[in-house]
């Protein structure tokens, strides 16, 4: 598939598609990213993700899923192209504006990125601290979200004393706690057993029904099949497949 | 307003948590800072005491002006009065011929020299003491010059060796204090900032993760600056404590030895102002060290 | 044998890789060590030069022994010879009455004192210089005692003020050097070991992972000890360089000022042995610091 | 299931079973592990793993899989019970003997445990360095195993510049490079796409055919089904199922 040009022109069906895109919280135009000269982690990617949309991002190891997600919260700058997230152009964003953008985006990192020196509660509350949330509210919301991922009883422990799957759930709780407008989850269930995977994915899907744009990178084919959401497949940094949600007409 | 209070609370809490969660690193940093400041403090105490000694030591320095023979007392008094107004003169004491003879007998063993004399051949003289800051060759020169023209003054004894010796010693101490003090100050600055830097290196993940969850520049940096300041402050207080203990422990047993060159003056500890500067300096150094370390941290945006 | 060579090669390679991979941390540690050793070195240079000055300064110190009037030259020589054998005596010079008179004229302004005399009333004397380590009240006392019984000696002039001044200054410098030197040595030890400790804290993951893949105690520790040693060594060499540059840069412009109290002696840098000790000390401190840091590391076995 | 007592006695079928166990490289007798007083991460586990045997360890998040594996290479000491690995009693092993044991065990850690400051080649070579393997042999074997996991072209890069799946493969390469007698793999395919998962699992299974005792902790049901090997399910620190390989009679 070829990516549509940004702008206003085009035939009616194109125009409709563009209209949907124009207020989409996440839009990528011809984005390329090259870490090493001559190779591309992302290659000319144009995609748009609507409000309340939930999308699966799949593709083999090294296809560029993580890089795509990183570019959306300004952890990597694209080598080429424009990225609009919540109305801001990431390619042109000043360093000082990045934190404000990130506070509206929840991220589940592939490697969790929990602070070993802080308790679970503190790790999750961190996402509220940076917003200046009052103490009491912070504790309440942290407790709530930890309960949702089934870890409220571990809230005073430290990440290193948690199992892999428990750590992953803490990472998910931190991404959800401040009710972000965009939720990026990188392989969020790689360390969870099948039942927990469904529970957690339901939590994530819930966020989408509340209007959050959700992008989930995953290798789990059964998960993709089960949810029947829009699925984008990357291969060598290119979009090789963009199948709409099975609930909608193709 | 409530939000500001919350943010300030959070910044402090983050700093305190940071200190608590990296207790080993923090305490290593605090110890290093304390040691550095102990050095600076010990040096200050030493120089302070040496200055005090030199002052007392130099207080014995005298220029002697001999009067012409037969000068009457009133005239001698007048001259003494005018000498007292010369710049750098601290005190003028008149010595009569009899006093001079008594002293001469005492200080030289060469009594034979005076045995054959019927009358006292020694003249009356003025003993001129200088202000501390004028106890130099130049200061002596100035007095010399002022006395030169005066009628009734026959000659001068400068105790040249004394002045030389004193001026040398005083310069030596001043120069050493200045040189070592400068090296010490720069060293303390670099050691403290380097230590805090090392302490922060081991916590880069913390900076990275906070930045990734959307911590602003302030939220990211202020807690670390606070941590550095607290570490510096603690180091400073610790240094004062160690210095005080060391001072008490050391000066007591060697009081006898000390009294030899301190006379009956007590060795003195840091002045209040000096101690305050040490603690404040620690805090400032700690903060500056943190700032330097943070400026070296490259954020998570490529 | 081949295996041993391989292991040694691996240990060194691991150390070098460790240094390379933690370049910022390592260089911060090296700089801190260098600064600490610069302090120690600057102090050593200063004390060395002060000692030198005091020696020259104290070299002027003399005890004068006046002969009885009319003693013949041969007898005076014999006495001089026996005085030269007294413990602590460095040199004995005989001063004839004529020389004494010339000097007296020069040093005191009180020429009037001698005007009425037909013959020279001053006795011949011996000027006795002491060895540096005997230029104390005790040293003078010993010479005094030795001279007391000798026939032909009429009296002694000790230049008491001189001795007091000199002894005070010398004690001051010695005491200060000892005190500050001790504080400095302990500080250097702690700063270096603390710095290396901080540098290692930031690399605990490395220790953990190496241990998990089966690194033996040796394989785990030796590279870190080597790293510490190399850092200490580098810091020591750097310190020597900085000291040398500082020495050259500072002594030249203030040579005039220096010559005032150094006389025409040149200020001296560290002796070779001192420099070697500084570098070696750095290496040893670095190694000890690593060892301390490693002993604080709790392994991956619960 | 109740665990058989260690020792020599017992009826014939028991005796046979014991005989198999007596030369088994990995044996656990009544092993319990409690991190927090009152809770058990492992509870009275008795298991034995034979030479060349490949076993899947499964169970929900926090069931104790990682703890079980950790206890086998002495990263955690059991609170109770005896563990014999390659003829050594781990509960009684002195600290200085641990490295020698670990060198004969390959471990794929759930969180990879790669050294960020070293290249891929150095990370893999590390397992040979600790054995004192000569330089040339080290490089050859490292290259060989990196080729097997498809990463020989990245050997001079650093772990942080690799994708999650690539890092996982480096961790697997490091566990395989010294041809260990026991291979413990903790969720080794959580970050790999389905095709790569099979390739890598084949590599791991190969090790078993060469006589290595292989224990793989995984949540991936399709993997367990596909290989049909002995599968042990943990729940709350207890063995709740120990189904033999489907190739053998139950
Ligand atoms: N910092 C970096 N420097 C160099 N190359 C990089 C860097 N980060 C990623 N890459 C490379 O870019 C490619 C895409 O990486 P990315 O992490 O996006 O893959 P992915 O789709 O997330 O893979 P996985 O499923 O294994 O996590 C990979 O080949 C990776 O090695
Ligand atoms: N160091 C520790 N201190 C305290 N509790 C711990 C520690 N390590 C593990 N635990 C707890 O022990 C239980 C078992 O942990 P383990 O890591 O073995 O689970 P797991 O089966 O590997 O789970 P996962 O599939 O999520 O990785 C968990 O509840 C975990 O929180
Ligand atoms: Mg990825
Ligand atoms: Mg686990």
């Amino acid at each position: 598939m070829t990516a549509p040009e940004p702008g206003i022109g085009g035939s009616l069906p194109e125009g409709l598609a563009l209209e949907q895109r124009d207020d989409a919280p996440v839009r990528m135009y011809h984005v390329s990213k090259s870490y090493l000269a001559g190779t591309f982690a992302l290659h000319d990617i144009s995609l748009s993700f609507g409000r309340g949309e939930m999308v699966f991002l799949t593709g083999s190891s090294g296809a560029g899923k993580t890089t795509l997600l990183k570019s959306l919260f300004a952890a990597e700058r694209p080598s080429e192209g424009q990225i609009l997230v919540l109305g801001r152009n990431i390619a042109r964003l000043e360093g000082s504006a990045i934190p404000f953008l990130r506070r509206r985006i929840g991220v589940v990192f592939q490697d969790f990125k929990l602070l070993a020196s802080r308790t679970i509660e503190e790790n999750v509350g961190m996402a509220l601290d940076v917003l200046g949330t009052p103490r009491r509210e912070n504790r309440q919301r942290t407790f709530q979200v930890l309960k949702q991922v089934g870890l409220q009883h571990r809230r005073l422990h430290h990440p290193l004393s948690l199992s892999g799957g428990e750590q992953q759930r803490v990472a998910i709780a931190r991404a959800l706690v401040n009710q972000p407008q965009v939720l990026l989850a990188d392989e969020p269930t790689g360390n969870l057993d099948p039942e927990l995977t469904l529970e957690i994915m339901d939590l994530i899907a819930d966020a989408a029904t509340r209007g959050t744009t959700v992008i989930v990178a995953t290798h789990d084919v059964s998960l993709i099949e089960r949810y029947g959401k829009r699925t984008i497949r990357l291969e060598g940094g290119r979009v090789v497949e963009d199948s709409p949600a099975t609930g909608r007409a193709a | 307003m409530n939000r500001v209070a919350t943010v300030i609370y959070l910044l402090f809490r983050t700093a305190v948590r940071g200190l608590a969660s990296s207790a080993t690193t923090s305490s290593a940093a605090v110890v290093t800072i304390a040691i550095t400041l102990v050095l600076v403090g010990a040096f200050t105490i030493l120089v302070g005491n040496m200055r005090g000694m030199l002052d007392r030591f130099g207080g014995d320095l005298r220029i002697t002006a001999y009067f012409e023979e037969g000068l009457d007392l009133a005239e001698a008094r007048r001259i003494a009065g005018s000498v007292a107004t010369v710049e750098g003169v601290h005190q003028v004491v008149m010595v009569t011929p009899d006093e001079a003879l008594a002293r001469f007998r005492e200080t030289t063993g060469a009594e034979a020299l005076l045995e054959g004399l019927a009358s006292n051949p020694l003249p009356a003289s003025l003993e001129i003491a200088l202000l501390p800051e004028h106890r130099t060759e130049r200061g002596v020169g100035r007095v010399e010059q002022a006395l030169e023209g005066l009628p009734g003054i026959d000659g001068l004894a400068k105790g040249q060796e004394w002045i030389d010796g004193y001026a040398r010693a005083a310069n030596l101490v001043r120069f050493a204090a200045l040189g070592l003090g400068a090296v010490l100050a720069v060293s303390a600055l670099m050691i403290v900032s380097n230590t805090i830097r090392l302490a922060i290196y081991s916590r880069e993940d913390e900076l990275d993760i906070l930045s990734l969850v959307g911590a602003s520049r302030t939220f990211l940096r202020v807690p670390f600056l606070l941590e550095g300041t607290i570490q510096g402050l603690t180091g400073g207080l610790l240094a004062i404590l160690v210095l005080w203990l060391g001072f008490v422990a050391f000066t007591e047993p060697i009081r006898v030895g000390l009294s030899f060159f301190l006379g009956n003056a007590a060795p003195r500890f840091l002045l209040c102002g000096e101690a305050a500067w040490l603690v404040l300096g620690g805090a400032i150094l700690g903060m500056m060290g943190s700032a330097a370390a943070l400026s070296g941290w490259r954020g998570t945006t490529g």
Side-chain angles (χ1 to χ4, degrees), chain A, chain B:
Chain A
M1 71 155 252
T2 47
E5 286 291 317
I8 21 165
S11 59
L12 196 68
E14 276 271 324
L16 267 176
L18 268 176
E19 204 162 14
Q20 185 217 335
R21 268 199 298 282
D22 276 356
D23 71 342
V26 179
R27 286 170 277 167
M28 306 175 74
Y29 300 112
H30 301 294
V31 171
S32 290
K33 172 73 192 181
S34 171
Y35 289 109
L36 309 163
T39 67
F40 285 93
L42 294 179
H43 199 106
D44 193 26
I45 290 193
S46 296
L47 287 169
S48 141
F49 305 91
R51 220 180 96 81
E53 192 179 17
M54 176 157 170
V55 184
F56 284 108
L57 198 62
T58 189
S60 57
S61 173
K65 304 179 294 297
T66 301
T67 305
L68 193 153
L69 296 181
K70 278 185 177 170
S71 72
L72 297 183
F73 64 97
E76 295 286 358
R77 302 254 182 179
S79 313
E80 265 172 64
Q82 307 296 324
I83 301 177
L84 288 166
V85 178
L86 299 171
R88 277 151 212 274
N89 187 334
I90 289 200
R92 297 212 203 104
L93 210 59
E94 299 154 50
S96 62
I98 290 176
F100 298 93
L101 179 69
R102 287 188 180 157
R103 291 180 205 172
R104 299 161 72 195
I105 304 178
V107 187
V108 183
F109 298 92
Q110 195 168 9
D111 54 355
F112 313 156
K113 295 209 189 292
L114 301 178
L115 257 178
S117 57
R118 308 293 166 88
T119 64
I120 299 311
E121 189 177 61
E122 287 167 1
N123 267 283
V124 174
M126 200 187 277
L128 294 172
D129 284 347
V130 298
L131 293 169
T133 309
R135 197 175 166 189
R136 171 190 296 257
E137 189 187 336
N138 189 328
R139 303 197 93 196
Q140 281 171 351
R141 283 168 67 178
T142 300
F143 186 86
Q144 206 51 46
V145 72
L146 279 174
K147 199 168 164 187
Q148 287 178 330
V149 299
L151 287 173
Q152 77 280 15
H153 60 292
R154 301 301 295 271
R155 69 183 181 284
L156 298 179
H157 290 139
H158 286 256
L160 287 182
S161 74
L162 262 56
S163 81
E166 288 162 349
Q167 289 179 35
Q168 192 156 42
R169 283 180 277 160
V170 174
I172 292 164
R174 186 179 61 192
L176 289 171
V177 74
N178 60 350
Q179 300 176 336
Q181 289 165 273
V182 175
L183 177 62
L184 310 174
D186 200 350
E187 204 74 61
T189 59
N191 287 278
L192 301 180
D193 55 284
E195 296 91 67
L196 253 178
T197 296
L198 291 186
E199 269 180 47
I200 295 296
M201 279 309 296
D202 284 348
L203 263 181
I204 291 175
D206 272 359
T209 62
R210 287 195 307 269
T212 300
T213 302
V214 177
I215 309 177
V216 181
T218 187
H219 290 298
D220 193 334
V221 183
S222 64
L223 208 63
I224 296 173
E225 281 167 6
R226 185 182 173 101
Y227 280 86
K229 301 282 186 182
R230 177 179 168 201
T231 303
I232 294 164
R233 175 177 299 278
L234 295 179
E235 221 44 79
R238 291 173 187 272
V239 175
V240 294
E241 185 191 328
D242 186 352
S243 40
T246 47
R248 291 197 294 180
Chain B
M1 226 41 229
N2 196 15
R3 183 150 219 112
V4 170
T6 302
V7 167
I8 290 173
Y9 163 77
L10 284 173
L11 292 175
F12 266 94
R13 197 189 58 179
T14 309
V16 171
R17 276 185 186 167
L19 284 171
S21 71
S22 59
T24 20
T25 315
S26 293
S27 50
V30 167
V31 168
T32 306
I33 295 173
I35 295 164
T36 310
L37 294 178
V38 162
L39 263 183
V40 175
F43 181 73
T44 310
I45 293 177
L46 209 70
V47 169
N49 280 299
M50 279 177 112
R51 284 249 170 85
M53 285 172 221
L54 277 172
D55 278 357
R56 281 186 292 279
F57 195 20
D60 298 343
L61 181 65
R62 295 281 183 279
I63 301 175
T64 309
Y66 295 99
F67 286 119
E68 281 173 3
E69 219 166 338
L71 199 73
D72 72 40
L73 212 68
E75 181 68 355
R77 286 247 165 72
R78 208 190 48 74
I79 294 176
S82 82
V83 168
T85 64
V86 172
E87 191 192 347
V89 169
H90 175 54
Q91 210 185 14
V92 179
V93 174
M94 206 155 88
V95 181
T96 63
D98 291 347
E99 285 167 353
L101 188 64
R103 282 207 206 160
F104 191 82
R105 283 218 168 94
E106 246 172 53
T107 53
T108 64
E111 304 194 15
L113 175 61
L114 301 169
E115 259 160 30
L117 299 173
S119 71
N120 181 357
L122 292 173
S125 62
L126 287 177
E127 282 194 357
I128 304 161
L130 299 180
L131 287 169
E133 57 274 30
H134 290 87
R135 287 171 200 151
T136 58
E137 278 196 317
R138 275 189 61 208
V140 172
R142 200 180 292 112
V143 173
E144 215 174 348
Q145 218 177 328
L147 290 173
E148 212 147 70
L150 285 181
I153 296 284
D154 186 44
L156 280 181
K158 292 178 296 183
Q160 188 63 48
E161 55 191 17
W162 240 120
I163 295 177
D164 271 15
Y166 174 75
R168 279 189 195 176
N171 272 311
L172 200 64
V173 169
R174 261 180 226 133
F175 178 76
L178 213 75
L180 200 57
V183 175
L184 203 57
V186 173
S187 302
L189 198 104
M190 293 186 73
I191 289 173
V192 171
S193 90
N194 242 329
T195 301
I196 299 258
R197 191 183 298 230
L198 280 172
I200 289 186
Y201 281 146
S202 67
R203 289 166 64 195
E204 280 206 311
D205 56 338
E206 203 168 323
L207 285 164
D208 285 338
I209 291 173
L210 274 169
S211 153
L212 285 175
V213 300
S216 63
R217 223 185 121 81
T218 309
F219 198 88
L220 208 60
R221 280 157 209 259
V222 171
F224 278 92
L225 293 179
L226 282 175
E227 277 187 51
T229 312
I230 294 173
Q231 286 176 22
L233 206 73
T234 314
L237 291 171
L238 208 65
I240 300 276
L241 184 74
V242 169
L243 283 169
W244 174 248
L245 291 178
F247 184 77
V248 170
F250 274 108
T251 50
E252 199 47 51
I254 58 168
R255 185 177 285 283
V256 181
L258 273 177
S259 72
F260 172 62
F261 57 88
L262 273 179
N264 48 10
R268 75 162 182 79
F269 190 59
L270 290 178
L271 302 176
C272 256
E274 290 168 346
W277 266 111
L278 206 67
V279 176
L280 198 70
I284 292 173
L285 284 183
M287 203 186 64
M288 279 171 34
S290 288
L294 285 170
S295 75
W297 172 71
R298 276 187 276 138
T300 47
T301 342

